[in-house]
Amino acid sequence: MNETRTIAIVDPFSSGRFLAPLLKKEFGTKCVAVLSSENLPAFYLNGFQKNDFADSITSTSLAETVAFLKQNNVDSVIAGSEPGVILADRLGESLGMRGNVPALTE
């Protein structure tokens, strides 16, 4: 049985904006977007393609964002651009996923 994966992409900007459509096209992957802040620069936000994602959230608390990811059955978290690296690492750790150790991210 081929199960559909769900991946969260944190800050899918710049070249990271191409990840969701590519993953969907090539592998049938469902993607959700996580924006790391309410105060991201316009040059990032202007390239955000919300329609490429099944759902999205702007992270205002780690607990709320983790709950959103669990609700969407996310099985992987990746950073889509540099501003999302720290939050992606923290989310992955909070969900018990393999990945970078947030204490070493900086």
Side-chain angles (χ1 to χ4, degrees), residues 65-76:
T65 306
V66 166
F68 168 83
L69 298 181
K70 286 181 179 179
Q71 176 184 336
N72 279 279
N73 300 311
V74 167
D75 53 47
S76 298

Side-chain angles (χ1 to χ4, degrees), residues 24-106:
K24 183 177 181 179
K25 178 183 174 189
E26 295 295 322
F27 306 104
T29 305
K30 174 183 165 188
C31 293
V32 296
V34 177
L35 306 186
S36 64
S37 170
E38 295 176 320
N39 301 311
L40 291 163
F43 66 88
Y44 282 126
L45 295 175
N46 290 339
F48 177 51
Q49 301 296 315
K50 189 172 185 173
N51 292 336
D52 289 338
F53 297 90
D55 205 350
S56 64
I57 187 173
T58 299
S59 183
T60 55
S61 80
L62 185 63
E64 178 183 297
T65 306
V66 166
F68 168 83
L69 298 181
K70 286 181 179 179
Q71 176 184 336
N72 279 279
N73 300 311
V74 167
D75 53 47
S76 298
V77 178
I78 59 174
S81 61
E82 191 62 31
V85 171
I86 293 172
L87 180 58
D89 289 351
R90 291 179 67 205
L91 290 168
E93 180 183 61
S94 296
L95 292 165
M97 298 174 178
R98 285 182 28 186
N100 298 330
V101 178
L104 303 175
T105 300
E106 291 287 334

